[in-house]
Amino acid sequence: MNGRVVRIQEVEIRNLQNVSYGKVKLEKQGDRSVSHAGILGIYGQNGSGKTAFIHAVDLLQHILDNEKFSDVAENYIMQGQEEVSLSFVFSVVNAERHYQVKYDFSLRRNDISTLEIEQKKPVLHVIKESIKYKYCRDEEWSAWQLLMKSDVDSRAVFLPAKNVQLLVGRNKSMLDNVRVAKLLAVKQG
């Protein structure tokens, strides 16, 4: 296998449209390899969550591409709920090692005033996110290790603090820039 292969292996959904909880595993039956191409088909009864699954992947794409959510995305949150939570497990394989990366995030509706609507403030914003990883060595998986965790209500840029230090080193100016960026992101939704 040349290069690196990245695939979504699992999607967990909470409070998205008509799905209060659902989990989809995207492995080929009997084959845990991710190095071969495959075809994904989605089928099921009306109301079984097919569209919710597609919308979950769409929300992930908007976050990864750093794009604002469309106005209709506000309707993705299940009626009567405050937030939607999604979890994606990716398989990352290269010539040396096989990793799994888990990206969790929660979105909440903004409390929007008429003025904010006119200013095109986004209707959804990320309130929590975390990234964990594990790797396979000699056919054994390591335990999940936290790479990054962020919460809009926390004063910390992200946790664990040792990883913040790895990012910015001893450069106080860079740390201040990262803190300001977080505050701006929270303010802008």
Side-chain angles (χ1 to χ4, degrees):
M1 167 180 39
N2 293 334
R4 182 176 302 134
V5 177
V6 179
R7 284 208 174 164
I8 297 175
Q9 292 232 256
E10 185 177 295
V11 180
E12 193 169 333
I13 298 170
R14 293 184 193 281
N15 301 328
L16 184 66
Q17 293 178 300
N18 63 326
V19 178
S20 59
Y21 176 79
K23 186 185 240 182
V24 178
K25 293 189 177 195
L26 302 171
E27 295 177 354
K28 290 187 335 189
Q29 201 161 5
D31 180 14
R32 297 193 175 263
S33 162
V34 295
S35 61
H36 298 90
I39 297 173
L40 173 66
I42 302 173
Y43 64 94
Q45 296 177 340
N46 290 344
S48 64
K50 299 178 299 294
T51 303
F53 173 80
I54 297 300
H55 287 163
V57 174
D58 181 57
L59 291 170
L60 173 68
Q61 180 181 349
H62 277 78
I63 289 174
L64 295 178
D65 289 343
N66 196 26
E67 295 176 351
K68 291 185 179 183
F69 300 108
S70 67
D71 293 343
V72 75
E74 176 184 22
N75 299 323
Y76 291 177
I77 297 177
M78 179 180 265
Q79 188 172 358
Q81 299 299 319
E82 294 295 316
E83 63 188 59
V84 61
S85 297
L86 300 169
S87 178
F88 291 84
V89 175
F90 299 89
S91 184
V92 181
V93 179
N94 64 24
E96 295 84 39
R97 192 167 280 173
H98 185 173
Y99 295 91
Q100 283 191 335
V101 177
K102 185 174 188 179
Y103 179 51
D104 301 315
F105 62 93
S106 296
L107 302 169
R108 183 179 294 155
R109 287 184 190 95
N110 283 328
D111 295 326
I112 298 180
S113 68
T114 306
L115 178 61
E116 290 172 320
I117 291 171
E118 292 169 1
Q119 294 173 346
K120 299 284 188 199
K121 183 165 181 159
V123 293
L124 292 177
H125 65 279
V126 177
I127 57 168
K128 297 176 195 167
E129 61 185 334
S130 71
I131 301 173
K132 298 175 186 173
Y133 73 96
K134 64 182 181 177
Y135 58 88
C136 185
R137 180 180 290 155
D138 300 325
E139 312 250 348
E140 294 288 325
W141 283 98
S142 69
W144 286 106
Q145 297 177 41
L146 180 65
L147 186 61
M148 183 278 298
K149 178 180 177 183
S150 179
D151 187 327
V152 295
D153 297 327
S154 170
R155 294 196 69 215
V157 175
F158 63 81
L159 299 172
K162 67 179 183 173
N163 290 356
V164 176
Q165 177 122 16
L166 287 172
L167 176 67
V168 299
R170 297 183 188 272
N171 186 336
K172 182 162 174 21
S173 172
M174 182 173 291
L175 179 59
D176 289 341
N177 288 341
V178 172
R179 284 185 176 136
V180 168
K182 178 181 178 178
L183 290 171
L184 287 172
V186 169
K187 183 176 168 113
Q188 292 174 355

